[in-house]
Amino acid sequence: MVKYCLSMLILVFILSQLSWASEKKSTSPSKQKPKTGITVHKAHLLIEPENQSELGELIEANSKVTILSRKRAWYNISSSSNSSGWLNMLNVRFTAAEKREGDLGIGSLFSSVTKSTLPTVSTGVRGFDDVDLANAQANFQQVELLSSYSVSSTEAKAFAQQGQLKIKAITVKPQEQ
Amino acid sequence: MKQLFTVLLISCSLIACQSTGLKIGNFDVGKLIDQGVKVFDANNIDQDQEIQLGQNMSAVLLGTRPLYQDQALNLYVNKVGMWLASNSARADLPWHFGIINSSSINAFAAPGGYVFITSGMLRQLENEAQLAAVLAHEITHVVQQHHLNAIKEDALRGALTETLFVSADAYQGNTQASNKQKQYSQWAKQITGAAQVLYAKGLNRDDEFQADKLGLRLLARSGYDPFAYVDNLQVLAAISADDSSLALLYKTHPTPNNRLQALSTEINKISSVEGKLLANRFTQAVAK
């Protein structure tokens, strides 16, 4: 009995740690499915994701890279020569996605849920272009429905607290002359 | 002619022409004033009028495509949006957020606190911070009154009609028009005309760059990872410009690459700021 209780306690502890780890603050590099990209300018890889970092290998412009993760404004990349390091995210452009539908973001989750009006690229929910706008009729019933979804600032604050979102005073460095 | 019209409106607002039978278009302006309905000048719009205008324009957007039929998901978007809006300079507005059911990748704002994101755009996102980035951009358009200023400029050029600034109820009360009657259709058509023009041509590029810059700051201030803003633009930049779902976005905005370049100074200013992505909460919300 004692061993059983101890085992359950250990199991509960482990599960609680896993739950915490999955929602931990994103000061650690954000994990993303690896994407591929191309560098915009020639630049040195950085050893650490910060401006004052030591420099690593020089990467030429238009070099192909694999983006492993991101921390703040830097991507952790692997180059075609198997070097790795950090590059400013503005110095990388993702290469074109081969196929958008279901591949990016939560698209696959949308398609896996059984709802009748799920949008997909190919199946039926229409686009929204200037021709559609030109043919539109004002719909005030939908505006009423929209109003029913509104939340108060109190609810929003509670929502933010649940996500551990905290208001930050953003100190912007003065623009250089 | 429009300047004369503007002067007439101002005069009427001073109760100078009660019950005179003065008509402008389909409106009996005197009767409206008798009923206490404001008929107002595009150059002098107060907050209530701004909200009415936004409601009218939202009706046009939702007449193009309806709301996505998922109450829980719409509520989630409202919570994210309201949190951001409560940290903006116009937290007092009656903010509304909605998901438009469309495969197009786009987002819209209307004066007075109306913000929309398409379900097509939502599909591209990976976490709550990226959703917040889209909403922060649109909230900034409202806070900076970009659409309102564009409409004021159109009014000065005589490109607007007065019907933008009267609610549906006021119109129906005045003309005893019902939804099915011709007059209502004509009125609704006049409202849609101005909204169609604005949403089809977009705002000027400087407004879009300002919405990116200040939207990025709002995102950071609200505790989100501000670099998720750049992630969004990176994803958009990687989608082919020929993709039809991006057609309207590309027509009405600077290219994602131009927007990334314009943001580079701002990004470098806040390079040490950290925040939350909330990928799990986002995934749970969209998977329900």
Side-chain angles (χ1 to χ4, degrees):
Chain A
M1 182 65 180
V2 171
K3 282 184 182 175
Y4 172 77
C5 289
L6 200 57
S7 304
M8 289 304 296
L9 277 171
I10 292 169
L11 182 62
V12 166
F13 175 75
I14 292 169
L15 287 173
S16 68
Q17 294 303 304
L18 287 173
S19 172
W20 172 83
S22 70
E23 282 293 348
K24 67 182 176 183
K25 193 172 158 184
S26 67
T27 51
S28 59
S30 66
K31 298 289 186 231
Q32 299 175 335
K33 204 167 52 174
K35 294 186 174 79
T36 56
I38 292 186
T39 55
V40 179
H41 307 292
K42 180 167 67 176
H44 284 279
L45 290 177
L46 303 180
I47 305 300
E48 297 294 333
E50 54 186 43
N51 286 327
Q52 296 78 25
S53 169
E54 280 182 55
L55 302 181
E57 181 181 326
L58 183 65
I59 303 289
E60 294 294 330
N62 299 313
S63 296
K64 288 182 185 174
V65 296
T66 300
I67 299 142
L68 304 171
S69 64
R70 176 172 69 74
K71 182 170 184 181
R72 294 195 303 274
W74 289 271
Y75 288 134
N76 184 15
I77 66 101
S78 166
S79 71
S80 50
S81 62
N82 287 326
S83 300
S84 62
W86 299 88
L87 280 178
N88 188 298
M89 66 190 310
L90 292 175
N91 194 19
V92 177
R93 293 291 180 269
F94 296 166
T95 47
E98 290 172 3
K99 184 177 175 181
R100 280 193 310 107
E101 184 180 357
D103 282 354
L104 293 176
I106 43 80
S108 58
L109 284 171
F110 262 106
S111 59
S112 70
V113 177
T114 54
K115 301 220 170 169
S116 59
T117 57
L118 279 175
T120 63
V121 172
S122 61
T123 60
V125 176
R126 291 167 58 193
F128 192 130
D129 59 20
D130 44 1
V131 174
D132 296 318
L133 272 167
N135 293 326
Q137 303 266 330
N139 188 332
F140 284 93
Q141 287 79 15
Q142 284 284 300
V143 174
E144 278 182 34
L145 178 60
L146 177 74
S147 292
S148 73
Y149 297 145
S150 293
V151 301
S152 66
S153 57
T154 306
E155 287 172 278
K157 281 177 186 156
F159 173 79
Q161 277 171 359
Q162 286 162 12
Q164 299 180 328
L165 290 164
K166 291 188 172 62
I167 296 174
K168 287 189 160 79
I170 302 300
T171 306
V172 176
K173 295 175 202 168
Q175 204 164 14
E176 290 176 5
Q177 296 291 328
Chain B
M1 179 62 191
K2 280 296 176 181
Q3 285 173 334
L4 173 62
F5 165 68
T6 302
V7 171
L8 279 172
L9 275 182
I10 293 169
S11 302
C12 289
S13 72
L14 299 174
I15 323 177
C17 45
Q18 287 183 21
S19 305
T20 61
L22 175 71
K23 285 179 186 283
I24 297 173
N26 287 326
F27 281 92
D28 181 335
V29 177
K31 188 174 176 185
L32 281 172
I33 292 167
D34 285 346
Q35 292 171 347
V37 174
K38 288 184 183 176
V39 180
F40 46 85
D41 173 16
N43 294 308
N44 188 23
I45 299 174
D46 66 21
Q47 183 163 299
D48 286 343
Q49 293 158 356
E50 180 186 351
I51 294 166
Q52 182 60 68
L53 174 61
Q55 189 183 76
N56 291 353
M57 290 173 66
S58 298
V60 172
L61 285 171
L62 293 173
T64 311
R65 291 287 177 271
L67 289 168
Y68 183 65
Q69 287 181 26
D70 186 329
Q71 182 186 32
L73 193 52
N74 273 286
L75 282 172
Y76 170 71
V77 169
N78 269 270
K79 287 174 185 174
V80 176
M82 194 62 208
W83 169 240
L84 290 163
S86 66
N87 297 319
S88 75
R90 300 191 74 190
D92 59 311
L93 284 174
W95 291 91
H96 298 78
F97 298 88
I99 306 169
I100 289 181
N101 192 15
S102 168
S103 58
S104 288
I105 299 172
N106 217 330
F108 304 93
Y114 292 88
V115 172
F116 301 93
I117 180 172
T118 62
S119 46
M121 172 71 91
L122 201 55
R123 285 186 80 246
Q124 304 304 314
L125 307 177
E126 296 173 322
N127 53 58
E128 187 172 302
Q130 288 182 8
L131 168 61
V134 175
L135 299 180
H137 176 99
E138 300 305 325
I139 287 168
T140 301
H141 280 315
V142 174
V143 170
Q144 299 297 321
Q145 298 186 316
H146 288 155
H147 293 84
L148 198 59
N149 291 337
I151 282 168
K152 284 180 181 178
E153 286 168 16
D154 284 347
L156 283 172
R157 290 201 305 272
L160 283 189
T161 70
E162 73 285 2
T163 53
L164 285 172
F165 310 111
V166 179
S167 68
D169 290 344
Y171 179 84
Q172 288 183 46
N174 179 55
T175 65
Q176 294 167 352
S178 71
N179 283 353
K180 294 177 184 175
Q181 290 184 7
K182 191 177 174 185
Q183 295 97 323
Y184 183 82
S185 296
Q186 188 59 28
W187 169 80
K189 193 176 172 186
Q190 286 172 320
I191 280 192
T192 58
Q196 284 157 358
V197 167
L198 189 55
Y199 288 125
K201 76 172 181 179
L203 297 165
N204 70 49
R205 285 348 191 202
D206 286 341
D207 287 345
E208 293 296 345
F209 289 136
Q210 187 184 46
D212 277 341
K213 177 178 163 182
L214 298 183
L216 177 71
R217 290 194 196 173
L218 177 59
L219 188 67
R221 192 160 63 244
S222 301
Y224 287 106
D225 180 341
F227 308 105
Y229 203 103
V230 179
D231 279 337
N232 279 0
L233 292 175
Q234 299 271 33
V235 168
L236 290 178
I239 300 172
S240 168
D242 295 331
D243 195 313
S244 61
S245 64
L246 280 174
L248 189 61
L249 187 74
Y250 269 91
K251 192 176 172 187
T252 57
H253 290 71
T255 64
N257 277 326
N258 284 348
R259 293 169 69 180
L260 283 165
Q261 277 180 303
L263 268 178
S264 59
T265 305
E266 195 64 27
I267 292 284
N268 288 333
K269 284 179 186 174
I270 61 165
S271 60
S272 60
V273 173
E274 294 180 346
K276 296 185 75 74
L277 289 174
L278 297 176
N280 283 351
R281 182 159 81 172
F282 177 78
T283 305
Q284 284 162 16
V286 298
K288 279 182 187 165

